[in-house]
Amino acid sequence: MTADAELERLLPIWAELLAVPQVEPTDDFVALGGHSVAAARLTARVRRLFGVDLPVSAVFAAGTPAGLAARIAAGARTAAVPAANPALPASAGHAERPGMSPTMSPTQRLQWFAEKFSDGHSPYTIPLTLRLRGLVDPRALRRALRELVTRHQILRTTYGEQDGQPRPRIESADRFAVGQVRVPADRLAGWLRTQARRPFDLAAELPVRATLCRISTDHHVLSIVVHHIAADGWSRSILLDDLDALYAFHRGTGKAPPAAVQYSDVARVPEDPADVAWWADRLRGAPSRTTFPSPAPRPATLSDAGGLVPLEIGAGLSDRVRRMAAVTGVTPYAVCMAALTALLASLSGERDVVVATSTAGRSEWEAERVVGCFINTMAIRTDSSDDPSARELSRRVQHATLAALDHSTATFDSIVRALAPLRDPAYRPLCQVMLTMHNEPGLRPRLSGLEVQWIEVDNGGAKCDVFVDLTDDGGPLRGTLVYRTQLYDAGTARRLATRYVTLLSHMADHPERPLSALSGGDHAH
């Protein structure tokens, strides 16, 4: 097959993944809004369509459809695979298999242990909260929610314990029921926070609960809370799309969605010992306790109780960050991560810092429409001891992140075991600060015949000391700074958020200046 043949098939895939009407052979991936999630989805399609296994970094290195087509044609770093996933059984999509004991993924096991040792302030709940205006059909909605749990086995799996280890079991959907309550409008926000913060007993409860809250005849709020062991950020849009289709079906205005592929049916790339070794080498010697100074003494044992403050980024700064990223040849994520890295280096006094981030983990094409927890945590190590420019630091972050994605079969738990750091219950291992940027498919909730509005609800948990949680879905960048309330009060967190946004702004406006010359981070040497 010639490069021209590959190119002809690649162009519509690029257009679909980057949500643009048309792509030319020489269009630049990053300039069109490409990011690591889109690159991972692109490599999954290349693997399926061409039988060629490319690392995520190959998309950025090739840069254009023409360049990637040449890489495919040349067979660079290829590993032929069948067009269809042999690990996807013919039974995929058959939801009624109660009583089975599916194998847990490494990520699920980490979620289980985290919940087991949680102090009741679990940061591992995912609230899906919808304001519904119009005349709701409660019977159709209850049936739709029940069928949603029926069709996705992961939503009706419990996690008992035997000899200190989790034992998952698929339950009947009969155990799921939709609650109904009446809440005055002035008490709604508090009620929603309570729902989001209520922990799950994973041994006894399904990892999902749903309650329809009636405000008035034509005003309801639907609260769905899912535990992270059963879903991730990517899963939210799948669940909402399925709920929309099922609600329309039970109202008699739409067709039932096709059978769902199950989480347990999707092949996962096995952990490569070479990837674990790469990570151990990459992180060896890095400081394992780098965090922002706290006005409070560090407790002997950490609580997961958290608070959040908004990051006031706005449309203007978002545009400037994107322009800097495009000129630099990096993603907006790299610029935002560079700003957090620079701020952490400045305030901690440590120039060699490690900041956690997460990857979607959906390396197989089939996984794109599967509800489940696929994410993996990665530790991004960056050195700023030579006082680089903002542009150079962003490039270093991009390089480190792409290298990490190319070795992403290693789980965070395996990396920690390989490095064997001294364990201290006052610190999370390896990383105490984290940044994520959500650029998975955007949330567009709909329900037939209703006006639907998404409501953000804080689950009250903190996964680490400081967590910068950003979303880039094509509009202005937005986000929050989540903080551990044992260490920081709201005023300290607001000042930290302001300093982060200020430094991000100055980096975007003066990308060639060294970090020490940028205010906001006060990167002194």
Side-chain angles (χ1 to χ4, degrees):
M1 186 177 289
T2 66
D4 287 344
E6 274 98 351
L7 179 60
E8 186 176 347
R9 299 172 74 187
L10 274 177
L11 290 174
I13 297 173
W14 278 52
E16 174 200 348
L17 294 181
L18 298 179
V20 295
Q22 187 173 346
V23 174
E24 298 298 328
T26 57
D27 282 345
D28 182 82
F29 179 74
V30 173
L32 285 177
H35 43 69
S36 61
V37 172
R41 297 177 72 192
L42 182 53
T43 57
R45 281 162 169 73
V46 166
R47 186 182 306 115
R48 183 179 180 85
L49 293 175
F50 302 107
V52 174
D53 196 5
L54 294 175
V56 172
S57 61
V59 177
F60 291 88
T64 66
L68 190 62
R71 288 287 300 266
I72 296 170
R77 293 189 63 180
T78 60
V81 295
N85 187 340
L88 193 62
S91 62
H94 292 265
E96 275 304 331
R97 295 192 296 211
M100 290 182 62
S101 298
T103 301
M104 292 179 73
S105 71
T107 301
Q108 285 184 298
R109 295 179 69 84
L110 286 176
Q111 298 285 357
W112 184 84
F113 280 105
E115 187 65 52
K116 177 179 173 62
F117 295 106
S118 170
D119 61 353
H121 300 279
S122 174
Y124 301 105
T125 61
I126 303 175
L128 303 174
T129 311
L130 307 179
R131 188 184 304 277
L132 310 178
R133 299 280 191 178
L135 296 179
V136 172
D137 183 337
R139 185 166 178 265
L141 186 57
R142 285 195 300 272
R143 287 185 171 186
L145 288 162
R146 169 75 172 270
E147 194 163 334
L148 187 71
V149 173
T150 300
R151 68 188 264 105
H152 296 290
Q153 289 175 351
I154 194 76
L155 297 180
R156 50 189 176 86
T157 300
T158 56
Y159 301 86
E161 182 177 349
Q162 182 178 340
D163 300 325
Q165 297 296 317
R167 290 292 181 265
R169 174 185 169 85
I170 298 173
E171 307 287 355
S172 167
D174 290 342
R175 294 190 53 181
F176 176 76
V178 181
Q180 289 187 273
V181 297
R182 294 179 67 103
V183 178
D186 60 349
R187 298 183 183 178
L188 177 64
W191 180 82
L192 290 173
R193 283 194 298 271
T194 299
Q195 295 301 302
R197 298 178 184 191
R198 183 156 56 93
F200 283 89
D201 179 353
L202 294 177
E205 295 179 80
L206 300 188
V208 59
R209 53 178 175 256
T211 307
L212 182 63
C213 173
R214 186 178 189 271
I215 311 297
S216 65
T217 303
D218 59 354
H219 182 191
H220 293 74
V221 171
L222 176 62
S223 169
I224 305 172
V225 183
V226 186
H227 194 278
H228 219 326
I229 202 169
D232 53 18
W234 189 296
S235 301
R236 297 180 304 171
S237 62
I238 304 170
L239 290 168
L240 293 176
D241 287 349
D242 278 3
L243 180 61
D244 177 37
L246 291 167
Y247 181 65
F249 172 72
H250 285 291
R251 291 185 70 223
T253 59
K255 296 181 180 179
V261 176
Q262 302 302 322
Y263 180 72
S264 58
D265 287 336
V266 175
R268 290 171 186 79
V269 179
E271 187 171 70
D272 185 345
D275 280 353
V276 178
W278 180 90
W279 276 104
D281 182 65
R282 171 71 182 161
L283 296 175
R284 190 169 289 112
S288 60
R289 297 178 181 177
T290 305
T291 190
F292 290 102
S294 166
R298 193 157 194 103
T301 304
L302 289 178
S303 165
D304 288 327
L308 64 79
V309 293
L311 292 169
E312 305 293 346
I313 298 175
L317 177 53
S318 299
D319 290 342
R320 283 148 46 212
V321 167
R322 289 195 176 101
R323 280 197 298 270
M324 176 200 166
V327 172
T328 307
V330 301
T331 62
Y333 151 85
V335 178
C336 294
M337 176 65 98
L340 183 61
T341 298
L343 186 62
L344 179 59
S346 169
L347 298 184
S348 69
E350 178 61 65
R351 305 298 173 230
D352 179 9
V353 302
V354 181
V355 177
T357 191
S358 61
T359 175
R362 295 174 182 254
S363 59
E364 298 299 322
W365 176 82
E366 291 84 0
E368 289 192 9
R369 293 299 303 169
V370 175
V371 172
C373 187
F374 290 86
I375 59 171
N376 188 24
T377 299
M378 303 190 304
I380 307 302
R381 182 181 186 181
T382 315
D383 186 1
S384 63
S385 58
D386 59 343
D387 196 19
S389 68
R391 193 183 302 283
E392 172 58 25
L393 186 63
S394 299
R395 290 188 179 117
R396 291 179 189 180
V397 167
Q398 177 97 342
H399 176 77
T401 302
L402 293 179
L405 288 168
D406 287 347
H407 297 86
S408 61
T409 68
T411 65
F412 189 74
D413 189 48
S414 293
I415 297 165
V416 172
R417 289 200 304 270
L419 288 166
L422 291 175
R423 296 300 184 102
D424 184 339
Y427 292 87
R428 291 288 182 258
L430 300 187
C431 309
Q432 290 80 51
V433 176
M434 185 172 190
L435 178 145
T436 62
M437 181 169 283
H438 299 280
N439 34 36
E440 62 264 10
L443 296 175
R444 297 175 179 84
R446 301 173 303 273
L447 280 177
S448 176
L450 298 171
E451 178 186 330
V452 182
Q453 176 189 2
W454 173 263
I455 301 176
E456 291 284 355
V457 179
D458 171 24
N459 69 5
K463 298 176 183 177
C464 50
D465 291 1
V466 172
F467 175 31
V468 172
D469 191 22
L470 300 170
T471 296
D472 180 9
D473 56 7
L477 297 173
R478 62 187 188 278
T480 58
L481 185 146
V482 182
Y483 59 94
R484 202 182 295 282
T485 53
Q486 277 181 310
L487 300 175
Y488 310 97
D489 56 35
T492 302
R494 281 192 292 268
R495 288 190 294 273
L496 187 59
T498 298
R499 293 187 74 164
Y500 172 72
V501 173
T502 299
L503 180 56
L504 180 64
S505 177
H506 290 163
M507 288 176 60
D509 291 342
H510 308 288
E512 299 303 336
R513 288 186 184 176
L515 298 179
S516 59
L518 295 172
S519 59
D522 301 327
H523 197 278
H525 286 265

